[in-house]
Amino acid sequence: MNESIDFEHDGSPWTLTIGFFNDGRFGEVFLVPVQKSGSETERRRTHADISVMASHLLQNGYSVNALSHSMLKLTDGTPASVWGRVMAELSRG
């Protein structure tokens, strides 16, 4: 089963697709920027690679809470990157 969520981070729209194991655990995460930019190809490749890495970590038992905790935060405690935001949202359940 999977679920797609559209959201905005730092003024940019994103689509996140989450795949789940049969027992409800997160199994895959794929993040795609919605708008094109001058460096769109590199941006897409970077986020595709991070999606694969995060998915492999989840599939091999690394918890979404540990991933969220390890991401950089701004001085106010909010996620510094879009991937930090994704992990924070996933860790909330």
Side-chain angles (χ1 to χ4, degrees):
M1 181 176 94
N2 65 56
E3 176 182 346
S4 291
I5 301 165
D6 295 321
F7 68 98
E8 187 174 300
H9 178 79
D10 199 25
S12 297
W14 298 85
T15 298
L16 172 68
T17 301
I18 308 160
F20 298 91
F21 287 108
N22 289 338
D23 64 5
R25 290 179 298 127
F26 298 113
E28 296 179 318
V29 288
F30 295 97
L31 183 64
V32 177
V34 175
Q35 291 180 335
K36 296 188 179 208
S37 67
S39 61
E40 182 65 19
T41 299
E42 181 61 24
R43 188 177 180 196
R44 284 184 177 275
R45 288 175 180 167
T46 298
H47 288 289
D49 283 347
I50 294 169
S51 295
V52 170
M53 263 194 318
S55 296
H56 281 288
L57 287 166
L58 292 170
Q59 291 165 9
N60 287 283
Y62 204 85
S63 78
V64 71
N65 289 336
L67 284 170
S68 177
H69 181 72
S70 67
M71 299 286 174
L72 294 176
K73 308 286 188 288
L74 300 175
T75 55
D76 65 0
T78 60
S81 72
V82 67
W83 270 102
R85 166 89 184 268
V86 166
M87 291 301 140
E89 294 296 326
L90 292 178
S91 70
R92 292 186 184 124

